Amino acid sequence: MRRWGPVLGVVAVVVVAVVAVLVAHAHGVPVVPHLHDLRRVVAETGPWAPLVFVMLQVLLNVPPFPRTVFTVAAGLLFGSAWGLLLTLTGTAIAAVLAFYLVRWTGGRLVARYATHRRAVWVRRRLDHHGTLAVTSLRLIPMVPFAALNYLSGLSTVRFLPYLLGTVVGSIPGTASIVILGDAVTGQVSPTLLAVSAACAVVGLAGVVIAARRPLPDEPDPA
């Protein structure tokens, strides 16, 4: 998995760059267009742009490709509201596919990585705390999106708590980054920036929640 991560990342960047250049040429936009020109191109493509965006995010987020790339791009291309909706949709679909991919293969694809000390810490919380564990772990920026998907598939957490925790736990961090991506265009109000900051604070609080929630065989840290 680690070996192929950088390769997949390079391939993804190349694919996105080629598609962007082809679309720009087709609409008469310079190869390095202004952000407003990019949004105009996206708007003129109708429902195809959101559909392609979500499909590309799902395709690259089932493997361990950084989700932040799509989160920032969503704010740049679609604005805060649509960007958040599209990114969360892609996030949920990718999380579900990765979850079932591990379970359908019996965990053989990632089992050898699950014995690491940090992976064991995550799995134990998933086994015992369900939705709360998934939600709090999704709030922690240091827990990679794909890794948590795989470890959830290896754990005993049920599907609905996993999906609910993924969506709820992904909202604060996703919203803060999407809004910041939208802010690059200079059209975001101070209120939205305040919402972005508040979401970031909620996300950081997830670190404390996940770390301090005890397991049945651990003493309460309080």
Side-chain angles (χ1 to χ4, degrees), residues 82-145:
W82 274 109
L84 178 60
L85 178 62
L86 292 173
T87 307
L88 287 177
T89 300
T91 295
I93 297 174
V96 169
L97 289 179
F99 178 82
Y100 276 115
L101 179 62
V102 171
R103 294 210 166 172
W104 287 336
T105 60
R108 292 188 302 273
L109 294 175
V110 295
R112 60 176 175 168
Y113 301 102
T115 56
H116 189 278
R117 179 174 55 85
R118 294 178 182 176
V120 172
W121 182 88
V122 170
R123 283 186 63 188
R124 293 180 69 203
R125 276 151 181 79
L126 291 169
D127 288 338
H128 292 285
H129 294 316
T131 302
L132 287 176
V134 178
T135 302
S136 59
L137 289 168
R138 290 293 187 195
L139 288 168
I140 303 178
M142 292 81 72
V143 178
F145 175 73

Side-chain angles (χ1 to χ4, degrees), residues 23 35 59 68 101 127 157 170 208 215:
V23 171
L35 289 176
L59 179 65
T68 307
L101 179 62
D127 288 338
V157 66
S170 298
V208 178
L215 292 172

Side-chain angles (χ1 to χ4, degrees), residues 13-33 38 41:
V13 171
V14 172
V15 170
V16 172
V18 170
V19 171
V21 170
L22 291 176
V23 171
H25 276 299
H27 290 79
V29 178
V31 175
V32 185
L38 277 175
V41 171

Side-chain angles (χ1 to χ4, degrees), residues 19-208:
V19 171
V21 170
L22 291 176
V23 171
H25 276 299
H27 290 79
V29 178
V31 175
V32 185
H34 191 275
L35 289 176
H36 297 293
D37 293 328
L38 277 175
R39 284 195 171 182
R40 176 177 61 80
V41 171
V42 168
E44 289 176 353
T45 58
W48 287 107
L51 180 61
V52 171
F53 179 87
V54 171
M55 290 178 62
L56 190 60
Q57 180 182 352
V58 171
L59 179 65
L60 295 177
N61 279 169
V62 172
F65 183 79
R67 192 175 69 95
T68 307
V69 173
F70 292 94
T71 311
V72 174
L76 286 170
L77 298 177
F78 302 100
S80 298
W82 274 109
L84 178 60
L85 178 62
L86 292 173
T87 307
L88 287 177
T89 300
T91 295
I93 297 174
V96 169
L97 289 179
F99 178 82
Y100 276 115
L101 179 62
V102 171
R103 294 210 166 172
W104 287 336
T105 60
R108 292 188 302 273
L109 294 175
V110 295
R112 60 176 175 168
Y113 301 102
T115 56
H116 189 278
R117 179 174 55 85
R118 294 178 182 176
V120 172
W121 182 88
V122 170
R123 283 186 63 188
R124 293 180 69 203
R125 276 151 181 79
L126 291 169
D127 288 338
H128 292 285
H129 294 316
T131 302
L132 287 176
V134 178
T135 302
S136 59
L137 289 168
R138 290 293 187 195
L139 288 168
I140 303 178
M142 292 81 72
V143 178
F145 175 73
L148 185 53
N149 295 339
Y150 306 151
L151 291 174
S152 298
L154 289 173
S155 73
T156 59
V157 66
R158 290 175 294 139
F159 171 71
L160 287 180
Y162 167 74
L163 179 59
L164 178 61
T166 293
V167 174
V168 173
S170 298
I171 288 176
T174 302
S176 63
I177 297 175
V178 168
I179 293 172
L180 288 178
D182 189 14
V184 175
T185 64
Q187 298 178 336
V188 176
S189 67
T191 302
L192 276 179
L193 290 177
V195 171
S196 175
C199 289
V201 170
V202 172
L204 291 175
V207 178
V208 178

